[in-house]
Short mmCIF file of all heavy atoms in Angstrom, two decimals:
data_model
loop_
_atom_site.label_atom_id
_atom_site.label_comp_id
_atom_site.label_asym_id
_atom_site.label_seq_id
_atom_site.Cartn_x
_atom_site.Cartn_y
_atom_site.Cartn_z
N LYS C 305 11.27 26.53 -47.44
CA LYS C 305 10.90 27.95 -47.25
C LYS C 305 9.40 28.11 -47.08
O LYS C 305 8.93 28.78 -46.16
CB LYS C 305 11.37 28.78 -48.45
CG LYS C 305 10.96 30.24 -48.31
CD LYS C 305 10.93 31.00 -49.61
CE LYS C 305 9.95 30.60 -50.62
NZ LYS C 305 8.94 31.56 -51.05
N ASN C 306 8.63 27.48 -47.95
CA ASN C 306 7.18 27.69 -47.88
C ASN C 306 6.57 27.05 -46.64
O ASN C 306 5.61 27.57 -46.07
CB ASN C 306 6.49 27.20 -49.16
CG ASN C 306 6.71 28.17 -50.31
OD1 ASN C 306 7.19 29.30 -50.10
ND2 ASN C 306 6.38 27.77 -51.51
N LEU C 309 7.42 29.45 -43.75
CA LEU C 309 6.56 30.64 -43.67
C LEU C 309 5.28 30.30 -42.91
O LEU C 309 4.82 31.07 -42.05
CB LEU C 309 6.22 31.15 -45.07
CG LEU C 309 7.40 31.75 -45.85
CD1 LEU C 309 7.02 31.98 -47.32
CD2 LEU C 309 7.88 33.06 -45.24
N ARG C 376 4.96 37.10 -49.94
CA ARG C 376 3.62 36.54 -49.99
C ARG C 376 3.21 35.98 -48.63
O ARG C 376 2.08 36.12 -48.17
CB ARG C 376 3.65 35.41 -51.03
CG ARG C 376 2.30 34.93 -51.44
CD ARG C 376 1.69 35.88 -52.42
NE ARG C 376 0.29 35.61 -52.61
CZ ARG C 376 -0.59 36.53 -52.96
NH1 ARG C 376 -0.21 37.78 -53.14
NH2 ARG C 376 -1.84 36.23 -53.12
N GLY C 377 4.15 35.29 -47.99
CA GLY C 377 3.84 34.55 -46.77
C GLY C 377 3.38 35.42 -45.61
O GLY C 377 2.85 34.90 -44.61
N TYR C 379 0.84 36.99 -45.50
CA TYR C 379 -0.63 36.92 -45.36
C TYR C 379 -1.07 35.92 -44.31
O TYR C 379 -2.21 35.91 -43.89
CB TYR C 379 -1.34 36.68 -46.70
CG TYR C 379 -1.00 35.46 -47.51
CD1 TYR C 379 -0.29 34.38 -47.00
CD2 TYR C 379 -1.42 35.39 -48.85
CE1 TYR C 379 0.00 33.28 -47.78
CE2 TYR C 379 -1.14 34.29 -49.63
CZ TYR C 379 -0.43 33.24 -49.09
OH TYR C 379 -0.14 32.15 -49.85
N TYR C 380 -0.16 35.05 -43.86
CA TYR C 380 -0.53 34.09 -42.82
C TYR C 380 -0.79 34.76 -41.46
O TYR C 380 -1.38 34.16 -40.58
CB TYR C 380 0.53 33.01 -42.66
CG TYR C 380 0.64 32.08 -43.86
CD1 TYR C 380 1.88 31.68 -44.33
CD2 TYR C 380 -0.49 31.60 -44.50
CE1 TYR C 380 1.99 30.82 -45.41
CE2 TYR C 380 -0.39 30.75 -45.59
CZ TYR C 380 0.85 30.36 -46.04
OH TYR C 380 0.95 29.51 -47.11
N PHE C 402 2.89 36.44 -60.81
CA PHE C 402 2.48 35.43 -61.81
C PHE C 402 1.11 35.78 -62.37
O PHE C 402 0.29 34.93 -62.64
CB PHE C 402 2.32 34.03 -61.17
CG PHE C 402 3.44 33.59 -60.28
CD1 PHE C 402 3.16 32.94 -59.08
CD2 PHE C 402 4.75 33.78 -60.64
CE1 PHE C 402 4.17 32.50 -58.26
CE2 PHE C 402 5.78 33.35 -59.82
CZ PHE C 402 5.49 32.71 -58.63
N SER C 404 -2.64 37.62 -61.70
CA SER C 404 -3.43 38.01 -60.52
C SER C 404 -3.28 36.96 -59.41
O SER C 404 -3.23 35.76 -59.66
CB SER C 404 -4.89 38.21 -60.93
OG SER C 404 -5.65 37.09 -60.60
N ARG C 405 -3.12 37.44 -58.18
CA ARG C 405 -2.99 36.53 -57.02
C ARG C 405 -4.02 36.92 -55.97
O ARG C 405 -3.70 37.55 -54.96
CB ARG C 405 -1.56 36.58 -56.46
CG ARG C 405 -0.53 36.08 -57.44
CD ARG C 405 0.85 35.89 -56.82
NE ARG C 405 0.94 34.73 -55.96
CZ ARG C 405 2.08 34.29 -55.41
NH1 ARG C 405 3.20 34.93 -55.63
NH2 ARG C 405 2.08 33.24 -54.63
N PRO C 406 -5.28 36.54 -56.21
CA PRO C 406 -6.35 36.98 -55.30
C PRO C 406 -6.25 36.29 -53.94
O PRO C 406 -5.59 35.26 -53.81
CB PRO C 406 -7.62 36.52 -56.03
CG PRO C 406 -7.19 35.39 -56.90
CD PRO C 406 -5.77 35.66 -57.28
N ILE C 407 -6.92 36.88 -52.94
CA ILE C 407 -7.01 36.21 -51.63
C ILE C 407 -8.47 36.06 -51.22
O ILE C 407 -8.80 35.99 -50.03
CB ILE C 407 -6.18 36.92 -50.53
CG1 ILE C 407 -6.63 38.37 -50.36
CG2 ILE C 407 -4.70 36.84 -50.79
CD1 ILE C 407 -6.15 38.96 -49.04
N ASP C 408 -9.34 36.02 -52.23
CA ASP C 408 -10.78 35.94 -51.94
C ASP C 408 -11.13 34.68 -51.13
O ASP C 408 -12.01 34.72 -50.26
CB ASP C 408 -11.59 35.97 -53.24
CG ASP C 408 -11.18 34.87 -54.21
OD1 ASP C 408 -9.98 34.80 -54.56
OD2 ASP C 408 -12.04 34.05 -54.59
N LEU C 409 -10.44 33.57 -51.38
CA LEU C 409 -10.78 32.33 -50.66
C LEU C 409 -10.37 32.42 -49.19
O LEU C 409 -11.04 31.87 -48.32
CB LEU C 409 -10.09 31.13 -51.31
CG LEU C 409 -10.55 30.80 -52.73
CD1 LEU C 409 -9.64 29.76 -53.36
CD2 LEU C 409 -11.99 30.30 -52.70
N HIS C 410 -9.27 33.11 -48.92
CA HIS C 410 -8.87 33.32 -47.52
C HIS C 410 -9.98 34.09 -46.81
O HIS C 410 -10.43 33.73 -45.72
CB HIS C 410 -7.58 34.16 -47.42
CG HIS C 410 -6.40 33.65 -48.20
ND1 HIS C 410 -5.16 33.47 -47.64
CD2 HIS C 410 -6.27 33.30 -49.51
CE1 HIS C 410 -4.31 33.03 -48.56
NE2 HIS C 410 -4.96 32.93 -49.70
N VAL C 446 -11.40 26.61 -55.43
CA VAL C 446 -10.10 26.44 -56.10
C VAL C 446 -9.16 25.89 -55.03
O VAL C 446 -9.22 26.31 -53.88
CB VAL C 446 -9.56 27.81 -56.60
CG1 VAL C 446 -8.20 27.65 -57.24
CG2 VAL C 446 -10.54 28.46 -57.57
N VAL C 447 -8.31 24.93 -55.42
CA VAL C 447 -7.37 24.38 -54.43
C VAL C 447 -6.30 25.42 -54.16
O VAL C 447 -5.56 25.81 -55.06
CB VAL C 447 -6.73 23.08 -54.98
CG1 VAL C 447 -5.71 22.54 -53.98
CG2 VAL C 447 -7.79 22.04 -55.25
N SER C 448 -6.24 25.90 -52.94
CA SER C 448 -5.31 26.98 -52.61
C SER C 448 -4.49 26.63 -51.37
O SER C 448 -5.05 26.38 -50.30
CB SER C 448 -6.09 28.28 -52.36
OG SER C 448 -5.31 29.20 -51.63
N VAL C 449 -3.17 26.65 -51.56
CA VAL C 449 -2.25 26.40 -50.44
C VAL C 449 -2.45 27.46 -49.36
O VAL C 449 -2.65 27.17 -48.18
CB VAL C 449 -0.79 26.45 -50.95
CG1 VAL C 449 0.20 26.39 -49.80
CG2 VAL C 449 -0.53 25.35 -51.94
N GLY C 450 -2.39 28.72 -49.81
CA GLY C 450 -2.44 29.83 -48.86
C GLY C 450 -3.75 29.86 -48.08
O GLY C 450 -3.75 30.03 -46.85
N ALA C 451 -4.88 29.67 -48.79
CA ALA C 451 -6.17 29.73 -48.11
C ALA C 451 -6.30 28.56 -47.13
O ALA C 451 -6.80 28.72 -46.01
CB ALA C 451 -7.31 29.71 -49.13
N GLU C 474 -0.42 19.95 -50.24
CA GLU C 474 1.04 20.10 -50.34
C GLU C 474 1.73 19.67 -49.03
O GLU C 474 1.14 19.80 -47.95
CB GLU C 474 1.39 21.57 -50.61
CG GLU C 474 1.53 21.97 -52.07
CD GLU C 474 0.23 21.91 -52.85
OE1 GLU C 474 -0.83 21.66 -52.25
OE2 GLU C 474 0.28 22.11 -54.07
N HIS C 476 3.77 21.10 -47.27
CA HIS C 476 3.87 22.13 -46.22
C HIS C 476 2.55 22.33 -45.47
O HIS C 476 2.54 22.83 -44.36
CB HIS C 476 4.48 23.44 -46.68
CG HIS C 476 4.08 23.95 -48.02
ND1 HIS C 476 4.35 23.29 -49.19
CD2 HIS C 476 3.46 25.08 -48.37
CE1 HIS C 476 3.92 24.00 -50.20
NE2 HIS C 476 3.35 25.09 -49.73
N THR C 592 4.07 23.68 -59.65
CA THR C 592 4.28 24.88 -60.48
C THR C 592 5.59 25.56 -60.12
O THR C 592 6.22 26.18 -60.98
CB THR C 592 3.10 25.87 -60.33
OG1 THR C 592 3.42 27.07 -61.03
CG2 THR C 592 2.79 26.22 -58.89
N ASP C 593 6.04 25.42 -58.89
CA ASP C 593 7.29 26.10 -58.50
C ASP C 593 8.53 25.41 -59.08
O ASP C 593 9.64 25.89 -58.89
CB ASP C 593 7.39 26.19 -56.97
CG ASP C 593 6.44 27.24 -56.41
OD1 ASP C 593 5.79 27.95 -57.21
OD2 ASP C 593 6.34 27.36 -55.17
N VAL C 615 -1.61 26.24 -62.85
CA VAL C 615 -1.87 26.92 -61.57
C VAL C 615 -1.93 28.44 -61.73
O VAL C 615 -2.88 29.08 -61.28
CB VAL C 615 -0.82 26.50 -60.51
CG1 VAL C 615 -1.06 27.23 -59.19
CG2 VAL C 615 -0.84 24.99 -60.30
N TRP C 616 -0.91 29.01 -62.37
CA TRP C 616 -0.85 30.47 -62.47
C TRP C 616 -1.13 30.93 -63.90
O TRP C 616 -0.69 30.27 -64.85
CB TRP C 616 0.54 30.98 -62.02
CG TRP C 616 0.81 30.70 -60.58
CD1 TRP C 616 1.74 29.83 -60.08
CD2 TRP C 616 0.13 31.25 -59.44
NE1 TRP C 616 1.69 29.83 -58.71
CE2 TRP C 616 0.72 30.68 -58.29
CE3 TRP C 616 -0.91 32.16 -59.28
CZ2 TRP C 616 0.29 31.00 -57.01
CZ3 TRP C 616 -1.32 32.48 -57.99
CH2 TRP C 616 -0.72 31.91 -56.88
N ARG C 619 2.87 32.66 -65.86
CA ARG C 619 4.14 32.26 -65.26
C ARG C 619 5.18 31.92 -66.33
O ARG C 619 6.11 31.14 -66.08
CB ARG C 619 3.93 31.08 -64.31
CG ARG C 619 5.03 31.00 -63.29
CD ARG C 619 4.87 30.00 -62.21
NE ARG C 619 5.97 30.21 -61.27
CZ ARG C 619 6.09 29.63 -60.10
NH1 ARG C 619 5.19 28.78 -59.70
NH2 ARG C 619 7.11 29.89 -59.32
C1 UD1 G 942 1.79 29.06 -52.70
C2 UD1 G 942 3.29 29.17 -52.79
C3 UD1 G 942 3.71 29.42 -54.22
C4 UD1 G 942 3.14 28.35 -55.15
C5 UD1 G 942 1.65 28.19 -54.94
C6 UD1 G 942 1.06 27.02 -55.71
C7 UD1 G 942 3.84 30.08 -50.61
C8 UD1 G 942 4.30 31.26 -49.85
N1 UD1 G 942 3.70 30.27 -51.94
O1 UD1 G 942 1.27 30.31 -53.14
O2 UD1 G 942 5.13 29.41 -54.28
O3 UD1 G 942 3.38 28.70 -56.49
O4 UD1 G 942 1.35 27.99 -53.55
O5 UD1 G 942 1.69 25.84 -55.33
O6 UD1 G 942 3.66 29.00 -50.09
N2 UD1 G 942 -6.47 31.46 -55.72
C9 UD1 G 942 -7.70 32.08 -55.79
N3 UD1 G 942 -8.17 32.72 -54.67
C10 UD1 G 942 -7.47 32.73 -53.50
C11 UD1 G 942 -6.22 32.09 -53.44
C12 UD1 G 942 -5.73 31.46 -54.58
O7 UD1 G 942 -8.35 32.07 -56.83
O8 UD1 G 942 -7.95 33.30 -52.51
C13 UD1 G 942 -5.93 30.79 -56.93
C14 UD1 G 942 -4.65 31.46 -57.45
O9 UD1 G 942 -4.94 32.52 -58.32
C15 UD1 G 942 -3.94 30.29 -58.14
C16 UD1 G 942 -4.39 29.07 -57.32
O10 UD1 G 942 -5.51 29.48 -56.55
O11 UD1 G 942 -4.43 30.14 -59.45
C17 UD1 G 942 -3.34 28.53 -56.38
O12 UD1 G 942 -2.91 29.55 -55.50
P1 UD1 G 942 -2.40 29.24 -54.02
O13 UD1 G 942 -2.25 27.77 -53.85
O14 UD1 G 942 -3.26 29.98 -53.08
O15 UD1 G 942 -0.96 29.90 -54.03
P2 UD1 G 942 -0.25 30.69 -52.85
O16 UD1 G 942 -0.66 30.10 -51.54
O17 UD1 G 942 -0.37 32.16 -53.04
#
Side-chain angles (χ1 to χ4, degrees):
K305 178 201 65 119
N306 284 349
L309 292 169
R376 193 79 193 152
Y379 58 15
Y380 292 139
F402 313 138
S404 101
R405 296 190 74 173
I407 58 163
D408 57 303
L409 294 170
H410 306 231
V446 178
V447 177
S448 161
V449 172
E474 268 67 5
H476 41 296
T592 174
D593 287 354
V615 178
W616 297 112
R619 203 173 186 171

